[in-house]
């Protein structure tokens, strides 16, 4: 039995996360732990610490009934949950039982699941833990072989089955025979669908990082005698490291109360996130950069009159490049609602360090420096002074936001990736980290030649690290950055990973999809033995109003005609959206030998991006999504209210005109391509855009719409007819919920990371 320090003290890394939460449940069990707020903003499900612990123990008993864990290694369990509270019962239940929880993305209805399949093949699970509704709707025929026929543990059924065996007195978590070196969970990094990598996060790593988050955010760890406790709010997916650790686990660690709602709820109507903060006096919440930008772009002034954001003390921002303009625009936009830009907490982190690596000493005004963009493109740091900044064109300046300093227990070095020597301040290099929060490695990847864990800095070079004598190795993040005045600024990636909406996209995966589409459309082979027959392709990130966007430069076979290139681009967009859940902002179809290559035949994506930025690429056909698609909602016409059947023609024609304008302005569709009977999929409507469409229609008409409405009524004509029926009365054109709306979240959440 392990002893636990009193709650008034900071918990030790020698205590497991499960023991610590169980101790909180025993000492202040009546305190609210988790509340799930449904999309209507009114309906709620709430668990206290005691109820969370009892439900988790029931899941543990069900898992133990499956069989004893292997003596060689802990068993793994896939966690498949839609947004809601049941996830935490499954997560903690696995830990209590001695199993390793594996948070995964929610299964897609009727669609392939390459990321889920890849993670499943890698970790070889022995069970699936899910809620009852998910268990009833899972189609095992769509699973990879490694996930078929597994024991299935339903959280609600477990509680019913073992209710009689659960003592009325909470089971003391100190009786759990756990070690801080046991694996707390496997965090599968977003990225290449063919190279799933499970980060092995030990309890010791997790507890160290939660302590660092507490100190970095400037929060207190309240004891049992304290009536005041933290209130936090989150909408990020639970399988996303920021949503899991920065959201749920950090709040439980501090004895606080988390209010959560779904990613779909936020993306459909961003005001819901801020309304949640306002209504419940939330102190801590955060998200990737794009979420703050979406609030600026999508929330009209009339929706903010009742917002009160004075309570929001820590607004953390990370998981993707942080834009100075986004933070400035958000601060200015919501200052009248009581938001203070001194609440911002820009930070840097990654799953391999559990989560947080660098941040400020508490929230504060963001520190921003201006750099010469051309010099930065050549990996040189040239600071621009304020006086010079005022007379320079915006296109010549790159503003970077400080990510602060290394958090408690973490060390950061900026290293020349070739020589493995530490570089001087204001010199760009690869970011290397080490510390108690850094994970044990990747699951079953110790023998990989390119394993980034275990790196050593070259001897004889001065290091800022305080613990060189212990000879601990580093983790090579693959991120590029530099120190300025002792603070870390992140500039990009050593490799060509594209980060959008907090999710990593490997360009080679996108390029393979594009080559396949071009090959099939032109009759060319796309196999590896085909060499140049299908043409080369480069995918890379490009600047956009909301942050980074995807650009694709693809070579066309010499014999390909020009009449069908517009259709080919639409086909490329549809396939990239369907497989990778990202809509390209730029697609350039070019002649052979345009994409730059190394002498060894590798694609030079960085050089291709430089050519793109400089306008040096000559395209046979070029698609650029309209910049207007990133702006505030378009003006809406007045509709008759109340409306009756006689108003149907006016309402129908008004809706058709608005939908056409929306597709042009928000989705970047060329006006001459708009047709009332053309499927939305032909315009490349991705999951996030469909959610935005339903949200803006709901704001305008007052009719509650699920995001699935765009799939069930997939043309301007059918959508207008459906809403007209709802608005004016008459026979409905089919239920908007013919697809289970509870499964719709994955169309959205999968685009957010994990």
């Amino acid at each position: 039995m392990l002893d636990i320090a009193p709650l008034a003290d900071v918990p030790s890394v020698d205590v497991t996360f499960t023991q610590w939460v169980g101790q909180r449940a025993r000492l202040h069990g009546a305190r609210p732990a988790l509340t799930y707020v449904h999309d209507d903003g009114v309906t709620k499900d709430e668990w206290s610490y005691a109820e969370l612990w009892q439900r988790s123990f029931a899941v543990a008993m069900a898992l133990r009934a499956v069989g004893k864990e292997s003596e060689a290694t802990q068993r793994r369990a896939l966690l498949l949950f839609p947004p809601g509270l049941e996830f935490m019962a499954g997560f903690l239940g696995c830990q209590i039982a001695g199993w390793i929880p594996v948070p995964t993305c929610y299964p897609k209805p009727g669609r392939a699941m390459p990321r889920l399949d890849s993670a499943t093949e890698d970790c070889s699970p022995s069970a699936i833990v899910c809620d009852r509704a998910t268990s009833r709707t899972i189609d095992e025929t769509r699973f990879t072989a490694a996930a078929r026929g597994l024991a299935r543990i339903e959280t609600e059924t477990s509680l019913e089955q073992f209710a009689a065996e659960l003592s009325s007195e909470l089971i003391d978590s100190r009786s759990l025979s756990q070690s801080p070196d046991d694996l707390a969970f496997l965090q599968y990094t977003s990225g290449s669908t063919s190279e799933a990598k499970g980060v092995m996060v030990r309890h010791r790593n997790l507890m160290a990082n939660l302590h660092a988050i507490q100190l970095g955010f400037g929060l207190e760890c309240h004891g049992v005698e304290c009536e005041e406790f933290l209130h936090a709010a989150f909408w990020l997916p639970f399988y996303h490291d920021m949503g899991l650790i920065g959201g749920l686990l950090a709040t439980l660690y501090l004895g606080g109360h988390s209010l959560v709602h779904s990613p779909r709820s936020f993306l459909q109507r961003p005001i819901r996130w801020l309304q949640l903060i306002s209504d419940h006096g939330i102190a801590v919440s955060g998200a990737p950069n794009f979420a703050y930008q979406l609030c600026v772009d999508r929330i009209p002034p009339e929706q903010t009159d009742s917002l009160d954001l004075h309570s929001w003390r820590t607004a953390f921002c990370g998981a993707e490049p942080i834009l100075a303009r986004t933070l400035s625009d958000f601060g200015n936009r919501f200052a009248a609602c009581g938001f203070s830009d001194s609440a911002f907490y820009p930070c840097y982190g990654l799953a391999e360090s559990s989560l947080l690596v660098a941040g400020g000493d508490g929230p504060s005004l963001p520190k921003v420096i201006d750099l010469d963009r051309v010099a930065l493109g050549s990996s040189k740091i040239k600071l621009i002074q304020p006086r010079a900044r005022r007379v320079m064109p915006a296109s010549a300046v790159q503003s970077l936001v400080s990510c602060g300093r290394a958090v408690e227990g973490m060390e950061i070095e900026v290293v020349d990736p070739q020589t493995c020597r530490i570089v001087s301040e204001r010199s760009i290099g690869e970011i290397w980290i080490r510390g108690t929060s850094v994970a044990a490695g990747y699951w079953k990847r110790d023998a990989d030649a390119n394993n980034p864990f275990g790196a050593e800095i070259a001897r004889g070079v001065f290091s800022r690290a305080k613990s060189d004598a212990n000879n601990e190795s580093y983790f090579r993040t693959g991120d590029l950055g530099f120190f300025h005045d002792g603070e870390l600024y992140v500039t990009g990636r050593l490799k060509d990973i594209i980060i959008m909406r907090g999710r990593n996209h490997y360009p080679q995966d996108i390029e393979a999809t594009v080559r396949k589409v071009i090959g099939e459309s032109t009759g060319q082979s796309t196999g590896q033995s085909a060499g140049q027959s299908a043409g080369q392709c480069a995918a890379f990130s490009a600047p956009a109003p909301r942050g980074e966007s995807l650009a694709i430069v693809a070579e066309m076979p010499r014999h390909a005609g020009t009449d069908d290139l517009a259709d080919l681009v639409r086909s490329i967009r549809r396939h990239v959206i369907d497989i990778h859940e990202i809509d390209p902002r730029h697609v350039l179809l070019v002649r052979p030998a345009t994409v730059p290559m190394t002498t060894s035949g590798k694609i030079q994506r960085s050089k291709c991006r430089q050519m793109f930025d400089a306008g040096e690429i000559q395209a046979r056909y070029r698609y650029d999504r309209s910049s207007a698609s990133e702006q505030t909602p378009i003006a809406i016409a007045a509709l008759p209210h109340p409306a009756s059947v006689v108003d149907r023609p006016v309402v129908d024609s008004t809706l058709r005109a608005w939908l056409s304008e929306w597709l042009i302005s928000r989705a970047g569709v060329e006006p001459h391509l708009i047709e009332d009977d053309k499927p939305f999929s032909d315009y490349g409507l991705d999951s996030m855009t469909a959610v935005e469409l339903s949200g803006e229609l709901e704001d305008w008409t007052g009719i509650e719409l699920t995001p699935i409405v765009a799939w069930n009524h997939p043309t301007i004509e059918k959508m207008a007819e459906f809403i007209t029926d709802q608005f004016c009365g008459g026979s409905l054109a089919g239920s908007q919920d013919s697809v289970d709306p509870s499964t719709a979240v994955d169309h959205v959440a999968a685009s957010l990371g994990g």
Side-chain angles (χ1 to χ4, degrees):
M1 181 183 298
L2 296 175
D3 291 329
I4 292 184
L7 282 182
D9 298 334
V10 174
S12 165
V13 294
D14 293 325
V15 175
T16 69
F17 177 76
T18 326
Q19 291 166 338
W20 182 247
V21 173
Q23 183 76 337
R24 285 202 172 279
R26 187 174 68 87
L27 295 178
H28 48 69
R31 181 182 294 179
L34 299 168
T35 298
Y36 179 68
V37 182
H38 293 260
D39 288 359
D40 61 11
V42 177
T43 310
K44 301 179 179 68
D45 304 317
E46 185 166 288
W47 291 353
S48 66
Y49 274 85
E51 188 172 5
L52 169 63
W53 187 249
Q54 291 278 25
R55 288 173 176 269
S56 301
F57 228 97
V59 173
M61 296 176 76
L63 283 168
R64 287 172 175 170
V66 171
K68 295 182 179 180
E69 59 266 25
S70 167
E71 295 181 1
T73 183
Q74 296 169 278
R75 286 189 173 189
R76 280 77 59 205
L78 288 180
L79 304 186
L80 301 182
F81 290 91
L85 302 186
E86 298 294 334
F87 169 86
M88 274 309 303
F91 183 85
L92 284 174
C94 287
Q95 293 182 336
I96 293 170
W99 288 53
I100 304 172
V102 185
T104 52
C105 56
Y106 194 72
K108 301 175 185 178
R111 296 173 64 191
M113 301 171 287
R115 295 183 186 279
L116 176 59
D117 290 347
S118 184
T120 303
E121 293 285 355
D122 187 65
C123 74
S124 301
S126 299
I128 293 174
V129 180
C130 57
D131 64 310
R132 183 177 290 153
T134 299
S135 180
R136 301 289 194 269
T137 57
I138 286 178
D139 180 4
E140 281 207 349
T141 62
R142 302 198 66 85
F143 275 148
T144 184
R148 295 175 192 161
L150 296 179
R152 196 173 296 175
I153 307 298
E154 300 174 0
T155 50
E156 302 97 328
T157 303
S158 299
L159 183 64
E160 296 166 359
Q161 181 180 359
F162 294 101
E165 299 180 38
L166 292 171
S167 170
S168 59
E169 294 293 326
L170 284 173
I171 299 170
D172 194 333
S173 62
R174 290 174 294 185
S175 66
L176 299 175
S177 56
Q178 294 182 332
S179 165
D181 291 319
D182 288 341
L183 293 185
F185 62 99
L186 285 182
Q187 176 69 61
Y188 274 87
T189 59
S190 58
S192 174
T193 58
S194 60
E195 297 181 3
K197 291 186 287 188
V199 179
M200 298 188 294
V201 181
R202 302 191 186 279
H203 282 278
R204 187 182 304 278
N205 307 139
L206 176 59
M207 292 294 280
N209 206 247
L210 292 173
H211 178 53
I213 290 171
Q214 173 199 338
L215 297 180
F217 286 7
L219 304 174
E220 296 181 10
C221 191
H222 292 298
V224 65
E225 302 298 332
C226 183
E227 295 183 1
E228 179 187 358
F229 50 88
L230 173 74
H231 293 277
F234 306 97
W235 55 265
L236 289 165
F238 301 151
Y239 56 82
H240 189 289
D241 53 356
M242 180 185 281
L244 175 61
I245 299 176
L248 295 180
L249 304 191
T251 311
L252 292 174
Y253 171 88
L254 294 168
H257 175 209
S258 280
L259 289 93
V260 296
H261 64 150
S262 72
R264 178 190 65 199
S265 179
F266 163 69
L267 291 175
Q268 186 179 31
R269 299 186 68 192
I271 186 65
R272 287 172 172 157
W273 178 30
L274 304 189
Q275 195 69 58
L276 195 68
I277 294 170
S278 174
D279 291 348
H280 298 276
I282 297 300
V284 177
S285 190
N289 184 94
F290 90 89
Y292 292 93
Q293 187 65 51
L294 200 63
C295 288
V296 174
D297 290 345
R298 282 282 319 280
I299 300 177
E302 60 269 18
Q303 289 188 1
T304 64
D305 292 342
S306 63
L307 284 182
D308 181 358
L309 303 179
H310 286 89
S311 64
W312 197 358
R313 300 197 308 267
T314 304
F316 58 87
C317 183
E320 65 179 357
I322 303 170
L323 301 185
R325 177 182 171 184
T326 294
L327 301 188
S328 175
D329 287 350
F330 187 92
N332 293 333
R333 174 72 174 77
F334 296 102
C337 303
F339 179 80
S340 170
D341 49 10
S342 62
F344 278 126
Y345 189 84
C347 50
Y348 167 70
L350 61 162
E352 288 84 355
S353 67
S354 301
L355 180 63
L356 188 61
V357 172
D361 185 14
S364 62
L365 288 171
K367 295 181 181 179
V368 180
I369 60 174
D370 294 324
L371 303 179
D372 184 293
R373 187 186 295 273
V374 175
L376 186 63
S378 301
S379 298
K380 297 178 182 178
I381 304 302
K382 183 179 179 181
L383 292 173
I384 300 174
Q385 300 304 318
R387 180 176 297 179
R389 172 69 176 85
R390 288 192 290 268
V391 298
M392 293 182 65
S395 59
V397 179
Q398 176 70 55
S399 298
L400 295 182
V401 179
S402 167
C403 290
R405 302 173 187 269
V407 296
E408 178 78 10
M410 188 69 66
E411 299 171 8
I412 304 174
E413 300 291 354
V414 177
V415 180
D416 184 314
Q418 302 302 320
T419 65
C420 296
R421 294 178 179 272
I422 297 171
V423 301
S424 60
E425 187 162 278
R426 297 189 193 172
S427 295
I428 295 177
E430 184 183 8
I431 299 170
W432 290 26
I433 62 174
R434 66 177 176 183
T436 315
S437 295
V438 176
Y442 296 125
W443 182 259
K444 298 192 304 185
R445 298 267 177 159
D446 290 344
D448 284 9
N450 296 320
N451 191 341
F453 288 92
E456 299 288 344
I457 288 177
R459 294 181 180 180
V461 180
F462 173 76
S463 172
R464 287 179 296 276
K466 297 178 181 179
S467 55
D468 282 346
N470 63 19
N471 293 320
E472 291 180 2
S473 57
Y474 289 83
F475 172 75
R476 301 184 61 165
T477 69
D479 292 319
L480 296 174
F482 63 93
F483 282 111
H484 170 66
D485 289 342
E487 301 202 353
L488 181 67
Y489 292 81
V490 181
T491 61
R493 290 285 301 175
L494 182 63
K495 295 183 180 179
D496 299 308
I497 293 176
I498 301 162
I499 306 177
M500 292 184 62
R501 302 176 192 166
R503 176 178 176 179
N504 294 345
H505 298 270
Y506 279 59
Q508 59 267 30
D509 291 348
I510 298 172
E511 290 159 1
T513 298
V514 175
R515 286 197 301 270
K516 182 178 180 181
V517 172
I518 293 176
E520 291 176 349
S521 67
T522 60
Q524 297 291 312
S525 170
T526 58
Q528 291 184 348
S529 62
Q532 295 273 97
S533 63
Q536 295 298 338
C537 176
F540 50 88
S541 61
R546 281 184 187 167
E548 294 296 294
S549 66
L550 173 63
I552 296 171
V553 178
E555 294 177 355
M556 295 295 297
R558 297 184 187 279
H559 72 274
T562 58
D563 294 339
D564 55 354
L565 295 186
D567 289 337
L568 177 58
V569 165
R570 284 191 287 274
S571 180
I572 289 172
R573 289 180 63 208
R574 282 199 302 272
H575 282 79
V576 172
I577 288 169
D578 186 55
I579 297 171
H580 307 284
E581 293 162 332
I582 177 175
D583 187 4
R585 187 180 181 85
H586 309 279
V587 180
L588 282 68
L589 302 181
V590 299
R591 290 179 170 79
T594 298
V595 174
M597 309 285 289
T598 66
T599 54
S600 59
K602 296 180 180 179
I603 298 170
Q604 293 181 297
R605 299 184 184 93
S606 296
K607 185 175 181 180
C608 195
R609 174 172 177 167
Q610 291 175 4
M611 294 167 59
F612 174 83
D613 290 341
E616 297 174 352
I617 299 178
Q618 298 296 319
R620 295 180 61 183
Y621 183 87
R622 175 167 181 152
Y623 162 81
D624 297 288
R625 183 152 30 107
S626 169
S627 61
S629 64
E630 308 289 354
Q631 303 305 313
T632 54
I634 59 176
I636 56 179
L639 293 174
H641 187 77
S644 64
V645 175
V646 298
D647 297 309
R648 288 181 60 89
V650 172
V651 173
D652 182 77
S653 62
T654 303
L655 284 167
R656 291 186 188 219
W658 187 90
L659 285 165
S660 297
E661 186 177 354
W662 193 94
L663 288 170
I664 295 167
S665 299
R666 299 276 299 142
V669 179
E670 298 176 32
H672 69 276
L673 297 176
I674 298 290
E675 298 176 15
D676 282 6
D677 59 351
K678 179 183 288 188
F680 290 136
S681 60
D682 284 1
Y683 303 124
L685 198 68
D686 69 358
S687 57
M688 182 172 175
T689 311
V691 172
E692 291 179 354
L693 171 60
S694 62
E696 291 188 33
L697 279 169
E698 183 176 306
D699 288 345
W700 176 24
T701 63
I703 297 170
E704 185 174 352
L705 302 170
T706 71
I708 288 299
V709 70
W711 274 273
N712 289 347
H713 308 279
T715 67
I716 291 175
E717 180 181 33
K718 292 183 181 298
M719 176 78 81
E721 181 182 1
F722 169 78
I723 297 176
T724 299
D725 285 338
Q726 296 279 322
F727 197 79
C728 300
S731 61
L732 297 182
S735 170
Q736 64 169 306
D737 292 328
S738 62
V739 176
D740 181 1
S742 67
T743 62
V745 65
D746 194 63
H747 292 287
V748 179
S751 69
L752 295 173

